Amino acid sequence: LGYEPREFLDDPGFWLAHVHPDDKPRITSALEQALQGQDSLVEYRFQRKDGGYSWMRDGATIVRDVHGRPMELIGYFIDITEQKKLEVELIAEREHAECANRAKTEFLANMSHELRTPLNAVIGFSELIQNETFGAVGSSRYLDYAKDINESGQYLLELITDILDLSKVEAGEANLFEKDIDVTRVAGACLTIVSDRAAKSEVKIRNSIPFDLPMLRADERLLKQMITNLLANAVKFTPSGGQVVLYANADAQTGLAITVEDNGIGMAPEALSRVVEPFVQVDTGLNRKYEGTGLGLALTAKMVKFHGGSLELKSQLGAGTSATLRFPTERLVSAEATAVQSL
């Protein structure tokens, strides 16, 4: 700091006179604690001899005799200027990263909205052509082209919707519209959504959801999207002749578990932590032939986390994958509570 120890000792008020004015209330409070026999620790800015300020940490410890009476006050000063500089830099870097992330998610959300409007028009007009609503189009090849346009548009719309949902979740703008849900009913609707896709891929899907599951307090749209994502993912990575099974169980200790299990291509255990990151795909020669951007599992993991739950993945390369949505016990609604609400 540029001062000699004697300058502090010769004038008891010298030290306090050089404390930054904004920090003097903290010093006063710490001194009062010390005078009352309490140990104190305070951080403040102290003026150096060159006129600048350094951050100091000042501690005072009361030494007592065998009867607990104060004998002497031991104090110490530590220059923590570099530590404070590092804290300021870390805070600035975090704020910069958060700002950049917000800008990214806002951009994605805006772009998603802008793209969906013309894309819906493309899908709608391609359906009109495909169905020959206003008359025959002539060559059958045009019908094939219209079908390709429609399928590509539908795929792109799903992708944009996923990006929009992911942006909302990351921006903290996703809201839960909770109600008591019949999981068996929702699971059946999800199986219907992926049934055509499974039939085209010659993959058998089996519903093993019991009918006596308790109701679940959750957002129905998100629950349906989570289960559908897991089913679609399982069907996509299960070869022809394979099988996908949907089942669930619940109890008062572990909550509700909804599992989608397949006997498809699977993945190496070390890849499990990466596949729940946005836009990540497992890099194997077999699954590279499949479409997708790797958003499904990332979205599902974030959505179940919004419900206080978790996504658990188990897999073995060449032996299939098991994906489980786990919801906490406090989201289970007892039959008695459901009966009371219905009165």
Side-chain angles (χ1 to χ4, degrees):
L1 300 176
Y3 300 104
E4 296 294 329
R6 176 58 56 187
E7 294 181 84
F8 289 88
L9 297 174
D10 288 345
D11 181 5
F14 178 86
W15 161 71
L16 191 58
H18 287 74
V19 172
H20 192 285
D22 293 345
D23 297 336
K24 285 186 179 181
R26 275 185 282 172
I27 293 291
T28 303
S29 176
L31 285 173
E32 289 176 354
Q33 282 183 291
L35 292 173
Q36 292 171 8
Q38 304 174 28
D39 293 349
S40 66
L41 181 66
V42 63
E43 294 179 359
Y44 59 92
R45 287 161 290 182
F46 191 88
Q47 189 175 33
R48 301 188 302 269
K49 206 160 192 175
D50 61 10
Y53 283 90
S54 289
W55 274 97
M56 306 297 293
R57 179 176 290 138
D58 182 4
T61 301
I62 305 296
V63 178
R64 306 175 186 277
D65 61 19
V66 292
H67 302 290
R69 294 177 299 224
M71 291 176 56
E72 58 182 354
L73 176 67
I74 299 176
Y76 61 88
F77 300 87
I78 301 175
D79 190 336
I80 58 170
T81 304
E82 291 304 316
Q83 176 183 323
K84 284 292 182 180
K85 284 182 180 179
L86 182 59
E87 288 179 7
V88 171
E89 290 173 2
L90 289 174
I91 291 172
E93 289 178 5
R94 185 184 65 189
E95 290 177 348
H96 177 74
E98 290 175 349
C99 183
N101 190 56
R102 282 195 300 270
K104 179 203 70 175
T105 52
E106 288 172 5
F107 170 77
L108 287 174
N110 290 334
M111 285 300 297
S112 297
H113 281 299
E114 293 295 325
L115 289 170
R116 289 173 77 174
T117 300
L119 189 55
N120 280 322
V122 170
I123 292 171
F125 289 135
S126 65
E127 285 180 352
L128 290 176
I129 297 171
Q130 188 179 348
N131 297 330
E132 298 181 293
T133 304
F134 300 110
V137 297
S139 173
S140 61
R141 295 183 66 180
Y142 289 128
L143 294 178
D144 293 335
Y145 295 152
K147 180 175 178 291
D148 291 340
I149 291 170
N150 186 267
E151 288 179 353
S152 297
Q154 294 283 4
Y155 169 73
L156 188 55
L157 183 60
E158 289 177 8
L159 173 60
I160 290 171
T161 301
D162 283 348
I163 292 175
L164 180 60
D165 286 340
L166 184 65
S167 300
K168 286 181 178 179
V169 170
E170 290 190 338
E173 296 176 359
N175 296 314
L176 291 180
F177 299 96
E178 299 180 353
K179 63 179 183 178
D180 296 347
I181 300 170
D182 182 348
V183 178
T184 303
R185 175 184 60 79
V186 171
C190 296
L191 286 165
T192 300
I193 292 172
V194 299
S195 60
D196 286 346
R197 195 177 311 178
K200 289 178 182 178
S201 302
E202 298 181 339
V203 173
K204 182 180 179 181
I205 53 175
R206 185 159 57 89
N207 185 359
S208 293
I209 298 282
F211 289 97
D212 58 349
L213 282 176
M215 301 284 276
L216 178 70
R217 188 73 180 172
D219 185 308
E220 183 169 342
R221 184 185 72 84
L222 297 187
L223 178 64
K224 186 178 291 185
Q225 187 171 352
M226 286 185 274
I227 297 174
T228 303
N229 283 348
L230 295 183
L231 287 169
N233 212 55
V235 169
K236 185 196 309 186
F237 295 110
T238 300
S240 175
Q243 177 176 264
V244 173
V245 182
L246 174 64
Y247 59 92
N249 59 77
D251 63 60
Q253 282 71 45
T254 59
L256 173 68
I258 303 172
T259 301
V260 175
E261 189 172 274
D262 65 69
N263 57 357
I265 63 174
M267 58 186 129
E270 59 268 19
L272 294 178
S273 61
R274 294 192 297 114
V275 294
V276 293
E277 296 298 323
F279 304 105
V280 171
Q281 289 179 309
V282 181
D283 190 17
T284 69
L286 183 56
N287 67 25
R288 275 299 188 186
K289 71 179 182 180
Y290 298 102
E291 290 181 331
T293 56
L295 282 175
L297 287 178
L299 261 174
T300 301
K302 291 181 182 294
M303 287 176 178
V304 72
K305 189 176 180 181
F306 253 40
H307 288 79
S310 61
L311 173 63
E312 180 182 292
L313 297 174
K314 295 179 182 179
S315 188
Q316 187 174 346
L317 198 59
T321 300
S322 171
T324 301
L325 297 169
R326 296 194 179 277
F327 295 90
T329 55
E330 55 265 26
R331 287 198 167 272
L332 297 182
V333 183
S334 66
E336 292 80 4
T338 303
V340 169
Q341 291 175 7
S342 63
L343 294 176

